[in-house]
Amino acid sequence: SQTIHQWPATLVQPVGSPLSLECTVEGTSNPNLYWYRQAAGRGLQLLFYSVGIGQISSEVPQNLSASRPQDRQFILSSKKLLLSDSGFYLCAWTPGQGVNTEAFFGQGTRLTVV
Amino acid sequence: AQRVTQPEKLLSVFKGAPVELKCNYSYSGSPELFWYVQYSRQRLQLLLRHISRESIKGFTADLNKGETSFHLKKPFAQEEDSAMYYCALFSGYSTLTFGKGTMLLVSP
């Protein structure tokens, strides 16, 4: 069966420090991968998505970047965190092919920038 | 660009009352629409998809292309339905766009 792992679950980082959040998927190949930020009143904001290794699409300009070094690994990064980067980050995947496919979400990472 | 609109941030009803969570979308292609739910302390998960025309936990949603809507309905709300509900649209370019979500609170 397919599973998605996202870590860490919580993170407190000082302003100006780097960030690296990891997400890995098991039990499937060639998934579409997504990073979302979930904020009260703003819902789920799509940050990045990837349809293959090294292919990253950014939905919103920001202080963050994403990389996909392996087929089932998706990393969210920042060189210097801002206070406004605080939030709840969700990784998700969908099958690379097919229609009306379900998205599966990780447990999320609560990031607090202090 | 595709867009999903959920006009209500919060919907509060009493147990047994009908529920309708509104969702409107904007998309030039043929939409694939979904409802996702997040219960307290649980992961976001799929509730239902329009293509299946299914009823899950008593919820149904009908795609109305003329009104570009995909409202979620349940005739009799239960307390365990209290959760955050997200409408989502999947495009042919592999982007999955969510609305801002509606918090449903069902009181006894």
Side-chain angles (χ1 to χ4, degrees):
Chain A
S1 63
Q2 305 95 346
T3 55
I4 178 169
H5 302 283
Q6 184 182 343
W7 69 92
T10 59
L11 190 61
V12 180
Q13 291 284 95
V15 169
S17 64
L19 172 73
S20 180
L21 302 181
E22 281 204 43
C23 175
T24 59
V25 180
E26 296 177 358
T28 187
S29 298
N30 303 313
N32 297 324
L33 296 170
Y34 307 84
W35 277 110
Y36 290 90
R37 179 160 50 201
Q38 187 177 29
R42 299 190 62 182
L44 280 165
Q45 183 184 31
L46 179 61
L47 302 176
F48 302 94
Y49 71 95
S50 171
V51 299
I53 296 175
Q55 300 179 59
I56 308 295
S57 296
S58 175
E59 289 295 296
V60 292
Q62 58 204 315
N63 185 43
L64 301 168
S65 62
S67 62
R68 185 170 177 173
Q70 301 180 46
D71 181 45
R72 289 170 288 180
Q73 184 184 27
F74 206 24
I75 298 172
L76 184 68
S77 304
S78 174
K79 293 182 178 178
K80 288 185 178 182
L81 283 168
L82 305 172
L83 286 174
S84 57
D85 292 323
S86 294
F88 191 66
Y89 292 85
L90 281 169
C91 180
W93 74 272
T94 61
Q97 295 181 350
V99 295
N100 283 286
T101 55
E102 179 178 354
F104 298 91
F105 287 84
Q107 65 177 17
T109 297
R110 174 72 61 190
L111 171 66
T112 304
V113 183
V114 296
Chain B
Q2 61 197 66
R3 187 169 63 245
V4 177
T5 302
Q6 292 180 252
E8 304 139 327
K9 290 184 179 180
L10 172 66
L11 185 62
S12 185
V13 301
F14 288 106
K15 177 182 175 181
V19 169
E20 181 178 64
L21 287 79
K22 292 183 167 54
C23 172
N24 288 91
Y25 67 90
S26 173
Y27 181 55
S28 57
S30 183
E32 297 179 22
L33 287 157
F34 307 81
W35 277 98
Y36 283 81
V37 60
Q38 190 170 28
Y39 300 102
S40 179
R41 300 189 185 88
Q42 293 188 27
R43 297 190 186 197
L44 192 62
Q45 58 187 286
L46 178 69
L47 179 62
L48 54 79
R49 65 195 88 191
H50 90 267
I51 195 68
S52 302
R53 294 184 175 273
E54 56 202 344
S55 174
I56 303 294
K57 299 182 179 182
F59 285 97
T60 59
D62 292 320
L63 175 60
N64 186 322
K65 292 187 177 182
E67 296 182 357
T68 60
S69 68
F70 188 55
H71 303 326
L72 183 68
K73 300 177 183 179
K74 184 169 183 176
F76 307 102
Q78 303 299 314
E79 290 181 67
E80 55 266 29
D81 296 328
S82 295
M84 192 74 174
Y85 291 81
Y86 292 95
C87 183
L89 185 153
F90 188 81
S91 81
Y93 299 101
S94 300
T95 54
L96 183 58
T97 302
F98 287 82
K100 293 185 177 181
T102 298
M103 173 64 76
L104 174 64
L105 291 177
V106 182
S107 304

